[in-house]
Amino acid sequence: MDKITLKKEYLNYGIIALILIFPSFFFGFTGFTTFLGFFVVLVFPAYLFLGLANIDNMERVLLSVFLGIIIGALLLWYLDRIFSSLKLSIGISAILFYSLALFLLYIRKKNQKAS
Amino acid sequence: MDSFQLKDKIALAVLFIAAFWLWTIPLQNSQMPFGEHDAAYIFAYGDEMSFRDKSFDITGDTPLSTLFWYAGYNPVLGPTGLQYPPPYNLGYALAQIFGSGRIVPPYIFVAVTCFLSVFSVYFLARKLYGFSVALVSSSALLFSFREILMYLWGQRHNVTAYAFIPITIYFLYKYIDSYYSGEEKIKYLYIFFLLLLSTFLIHLSSTVFLAIFSIIFVLIMAVMNRKLPISAKSLKHYGIMCIIAAIVVSPFYWIYFGPTNVETDAGIKDLGSLFLWHKLPQNKYDMNPAYTDYSSSYINYWTIPILIFGAFVLLWRRNKEDILMMSALLTLYILFHLPAFGLIEPGNYRVGRFVVVESYFFYITMAVGLLAIPSLLPISGKQREMSRNAIVVAAVALLIFTQGVQAYKQLSGSYPPILRITPAQYALSGWIEENVAEDSSVHLIGTLTYPKKAFIQVLSRRVILRSDEPPGWREIVEKDLGKFNIPSNLVKGSDMAISLDYVVFDYSDLVLIGDREKIGNFMKMEESMQNNSTLVYNKDNIRVYKYNG
């Protein structure tokens, strides 16, 4: 990775970290964990899935928030119909969403390499 | 080149920091819940889900505390039916779980989902018109008077649903544009479709806007291109979308279409109003008049020429982006004029709420107008660029010192401690939850406002009679609901009924404000309770009596 790309990556991580940490300035650890929870369970999985759509970064980032919090919550609701425990459903959804997203991304990368 | 440039990332980060700090001021000032009746109602849903560690089924699961609120509202689902699809309310529950708190985490969720429109508008304006227009319009939205009002009052799911509109119409635009460019990209139609379904899952009014917009925009583009944007090779995708829509919509269909309280009387009712952008009804939609007032939201009336000039620019240019904006404005015009055709009764609050969406497109139109001015001047390209930058700086500065100051005063002055649950009342809620059985209820007298009583009710997870009338009820009854699914311990013949065994005299607010007359009146009521009840709670100027026998 060249220096400019690396700097861009660091900037991106820095902004994500700022968004996650900023609420804690006002609401302490509660603010941080609230944001972290939504990011880990709903937003980032949506971001990974949207990597399959071949859209530009701004679209991908914003869509991961908008779709993650609602479509992600809907899928969580369906899981809860099966498991009858929100906390358990959260854990299972995280495992499922991440596994599926990473698997699909891996398949796509493999297909791209093959072609 | 990646469209997500450094200046976008910085702008979005700054907007987020500013929005989070500003919109959470009411929560920073006090970590007690705030809002009107609806705020408490919606809070109850998420709160109950995290309490039970289970999300709600469509019927049978709604919080006990809210059962008697809208008992007869939905004749199909009945009093135990959901009033809203689960996903948005589930957000409250998830916030409580992630943040390990009952009040602060869901209110953080509420604030963030309400100010999402700042980013949605930034995104739309950025994609259509570039960075400068995006910065000006999203800065204006950061201080949006109407959105802040609805956020404070409690129509939060409505505000969140509206926030989806700009980003959703963008993806329809992207699809239509790709179709007519000869390189149809079906992925954009899928994204549009998922966003449209998301609005259905939050609040139907946003879906109504998008449906009307989609028809208008597609028809205009079809006329311009002399062809409808339908392709045979995409038929299977249309079929897939229909199946997804059926799966997502069908469980929640009766939530929206069970109640039939929109009165229509089709016909031309008010032709004259068609010549106005928006004829305000006399009742101002039963809301604070400032909510619909132009000057409250757009600095002052002198911005009208800027708005008109911006609209003229759109009409003059008629690029695809401008067609999209004009379609959105036309959609708003149609929605504001539904009463003129008898399609909804005049003054219906549902129409009034669309003034929030008006702000999105008015701000973008004004920004377009402002930033088009240098193009009219006989100056060089570099001077034009410098002029645009100067306009951006001046516009943002003006917004900060006018709308920004207004927004800060609005938020920092909202819901002072006396208008929120006090620690004493929070403790009362906890006592009620622990000591009052689920098949019993409480008569709450004296708390200063109806919304405060509502929050005590939902936090206690019990049915509460919120009237200040003298005590004497021994049950709360909702008649003729026997045909619905009602918890078995609450059924009495064909009625829904709950025993009322406790009376609360809450003097805590009245002592704080020194209302001796009311204190005197309530103390007389309290005296009448002495012979047939037992004092079971006496703390911080709040007394609870339990009826004997």
Side-chain angles (χ1 to χ4, degrees):
Chain A
M1 212 182 260
D2 63 28
K3 264 191 181 171
I4 292 172
T5 311
L6 207 59
K7 278 185 184 169
K8 276 185 184 172
E9 288 294 313
Y10 286 145
L11 177 69
N12 293 339
Y13 296 143
I15 290 173
I16 293 169
L18 178 66
I19 288 170
L20 289 177
I21 292 168
F22 186 72
S24 61
F25 294 159
F26 303 100
F27 305 110
F29 194 61
T30 293
F32 173 68
T33 55
T34 304
F35 262 73
L36 186 68
F38 277 101
F39 179 76
V40 169
V41 176
L42 296 179
V43 174
F44 194 59
Y47 180 81
L48 292 177
F49 274 111
L50 286 164
L52 298 164
N54 227 8
I55 51 179
D56 76 43
N57 277 334
M58 192 191 296
E59 293 169 354
R60 189 177 173 189
V61 166
L62 282 163
L63 278 173
S64 63
V65 175
F66 281 82
L67 290 177
I69 59 171
I70 299 300
I71 302 294
L74 177 70
L75 295 173
L76 198 55
W77 182 77
Y78 278 118
L79 275 175
D80 193 47
R81 308 267 68 64
I82 301 168
F83 296 107
S84 291
S85 164
L86 257 184
K87 288 174 185 162
L88 181 62
S89 300
I90 289 168
I92 290 170
S93 74
I95 294 168
L96 275 176
F97 292 165
Y98 278 104
S99 304
L100 188 59
L102 291 170
F103 174 71
L104 291 172
L105 282 168
Y106 166 73
I107 296 291
R108 197 176 82 139
K109 205 169 179 181
K110 202 174 160 190
N111 290 339
Q112 280 173 348
K113 268 189 186 167
S115 61
Chain B
M1 186 176 73
D2 183 8
S3 66
F4 206 1
Q5 296 173 28
L6 178 62
K7 60 185 177 183
D8 293 304
K9 292 175 188 175
I10 293 172
L12 287 170
V14 170
L15 282 168
F16 171 79
I17 288 168
F20 189 87
W21 164 74
L22 185 67
W23 286 57
T24 61
I25 284 175
L27 192 60
Q28 295 166 39
N29 288 348
S30 164
Q31 295 188 355
M32 284 294 163
F34 60 88
E36 300 300 304
H37 184 267
D38 277 348
Y41 188 84
I42 297 169
F43 179 89
Y45 270 41
D47 185 55
E48 190 72 11
M49 283 194 261
S50 73
F51 175 68
R52 292 188 209 163
D53 188 32
K54 191 180 175 314
S55 59
F56 293 157
D57 287 323
I58 306 300
T59 60
D61 269 343
T62 44
L64 172 65
S65 61
T66 63
L67 271 186
F68 286 78
W69 280 17
Y70 300 117
Y73 178 72
N74 191 322
V76 176
L77 297 179
T80 64
L82 293 183
Q83 300 291 342
Y84 309 106
Y88 175 78
N89 302 113
L90 192 52
Y92 282 61
L94 295 175
Q96 288 184 332
I97 292 168
F98 298 147
S100 301
R102 198 172 180 193
I103 308 295
V104 170
Y107 269 81
I108 290 175
F109 171 78
V110 162
V112 172
T113 49
C114 282
F115 70 61
L116 275 181
S117 55
V118 173
F119 304 98
S120 184
V121 163
Y122 180 96
F123 175 80
L124 177 67
R126 178 69 171 94
K127 290 296 190 176
L128 297 183
Y129 297 117
F131 179 74
S132 300
V133 171
L135 195 59
V136 172
S137 49
S138 57
S139 300
L141 205 54
L142 185 60
F143 311 125
S144 170
F145 182 77
R146 291 164 177 170
E147 276 207 318
I148 289 173
L149 269 184
M150 280 182 65
Y151 154 65
L152 290 172
W153 287 338
Q155 278 299 319
R156 292 143 183 182
H157 54 322
N158 209 158
V159 175
T160 303
Y162 286 158
F164 277 68
I165 288 174
I167 195 170
T168 307
I169 66 175
Y170 171 75
F171 282 100
L172 179 64
Y173 158 82
K174 279 284 273 194
Y175 171 69
I176 297 294
D177 185 40
S178 73
Y179 180 90
Y180 288 121
S181 305
E183 294 177 13
E184 185 188 2
K185 290 184 180 161
I186 199 73
K187 62 184 174 186
Y188 293 124
L189 189 62
Y190 272 108
I191 295 172
F192 161 76
F193 176 70
L194 285 175
L195 290 165
L196 181 70
L197 280 182
S198 298
T199 64
F200 175 83
L201 293 169
I202 311 172
H203 200 281
L204 190 66
S205 59
S206 186
T207 318
V208 167
F209 178 97
L210 288 166
I212 297 173
F213 166 84
S214 301
I215 293 169
I216 292 171
F217 180 64
V218 167
L219 278 177
I220 293 175
M221 294 299 283
V223 165
M224 285 174 65
N225 291 275
R226 294 187 180 85
K227 190 172 124 180
L228 279 173
I230 298 171
S231 66
K233 65 177 179 157
S234 295
L235 275 176
K236 72 169 182 192
H237 296 293
Y238 304 150
I240 292 170
M241 286 180 222
C242 287
I243 292 168
I244 295 173
I247 292 170
V248 171
V249 168
S250 54
F252 313 118
Y253 178 84
W254 290 115
I255 292 174
Y256 288 127
F257 300 105
T260 52
N261 61 347
V262 176
E263 289 175 19
T264 60
D265 179 21
I268 296 176
K269 304 294 174 190
D270 188 355
L271 200 60
S273 69
L274 297 179
F275 296 97
L276 299 170
W277 165 251
H278 181 192
K279 184 179 176 182
L280 292 177
Q282 277 195 325
N283 69 345
K284 302 283 192 287
Y285 301 111
D286 290 328
M287 298 199 218
N288 185 324
Y291 173 74
T292 45
D293 177 51
Y294 180 93
S295 59
S296 303
S297 291
Y298 305 114
I299 305 177
N300 214 319
Y301 295 104
W302 60 261
T303 60
I304 291 178
I306 300 174
L307 176 64
I308 293 172
F309 179 66
F312 176 75
V313 168
L314 299 177
L315 206 56
W316 180 263
R317 290 192 310 213
R318 294 194 302 276
N319 297 333
K320 296 170 293 194
E321 300 81 9
D322 305 321
I323 300 288
L324 179 139
M325 282 293 298
M326 288 192 286
S327 301
L329 291 168
L330 182 57
T331 305
L332 279 168
Y333 175 85
I334 290 170
L335 288 165
F336 289 147
H337 291 85
L338 290 178
F341 296 99
L343 296 173
I344 197 167
E345 63 271 24
N348 189 299
Y349 65 90
R350 290 185 177 89
V351 173
R353 287 187 193 166
F354 286 110
V355 296
V356 168
V357 183
E358 176 196 89
S359 304
Y360 302 168
F361 299 104
F362 271 24
Y363 291 145
I364 297 177
T365 303
M366 287 183 194
V368 166
L370 273 177
L371 287 155
I373 292 171
S375 305
L376 304 174
L377 303 174
I379 51 179
S380 69
K382 197 170 178 185
Q383 286 173 328
R384 196 164 288 143
E385 195 53 41
M386 284 172 61
S387 305
R388 286 207 178 96
N389 292 339
I391 287 172
V392 169
V393 171
V396 172
L398 180 66
L399 283 165
I400 290 171
F401 288 107
T402 55
Q403 300 295 108
V405 169
Q406 176 184 264
Y408 177 77
K409 285 181 184 169
Q410 194 183 1
L411 287 157
S412 58
S414 66
Y415 294 102
I418 193 66
L419 292 182
R420 303 202 205 191
I421 293 188
T422 60
Q425 289 160 341
Y426 192 81
L428 169 70
S429 305
W431 183 90
I432 292 173
E433 185 183 0
E434 283 173 28
N435 294 279
V436 174
E438 283 192 356
D439 57 2
S440 181
S441 63
V442 175
H443 184 181
L444 176 57
I445 296 171
T447 310
L448 194 64
T449 67
Y450 197 70
K452 281 182 56 148
K453 290 191 176 189
F455 271 108
I456 291 172
Q457 177 165 356
V458 305
L459 288 170
S460 70
R461 300 196 174 100
R462 296 292 180 270
V463 177
I464 288 184
L465 178 66
R466 289 169 268 161
S467 164
D468 276 346
E469 293 292 313
W473 284 274
R474 293 308 306 269
E475 64 178 5
I476 299 170
V477 181
E478 196 68 43
K479 292 191 173 296
D480 297 327
L481 296 178
K483 56 185 179 290
F484 296 123
N485 178 23
I486 297 169
S488 55
N489 61 330
L490 299 181
V491 175
K492 189 180 178 186
S494 66
D495 300 339
M496 183 168 77
I498 189 165
S499 167
L500 194 155
D501 300 309
Y502 296 82
V503 181
V504 178
F505 290 94
D506 179 5
Y507 299 102
S508 58
D509 291 337
L510 300 172
V511 164
L512 283 173
I513 63 172
D515 191 337
R516 289 170 186 265
E517 186 184 345
K518 267 196 176 155
I519 292 173
N521 290 340
F522 293 143
M523 285 182 80
K524 283 182 193 157
M525 289 183 197
E526 193 182 344
E527 274 170 31
S528 72
M529 298 270 320
Q530 306 294 334
N531 293 334
N532 61 349
S533 61
T534 305
L535 181 66
V536 291
Y537 180 95
N538 185 0
K539 203 174 160 193
D540 297 323
N541 293 309
I542 300 176
R543 292 196 276 274
V544 182
Y545 290 85
K546 184 177 180 182
Y547 283 111
N548 300 328

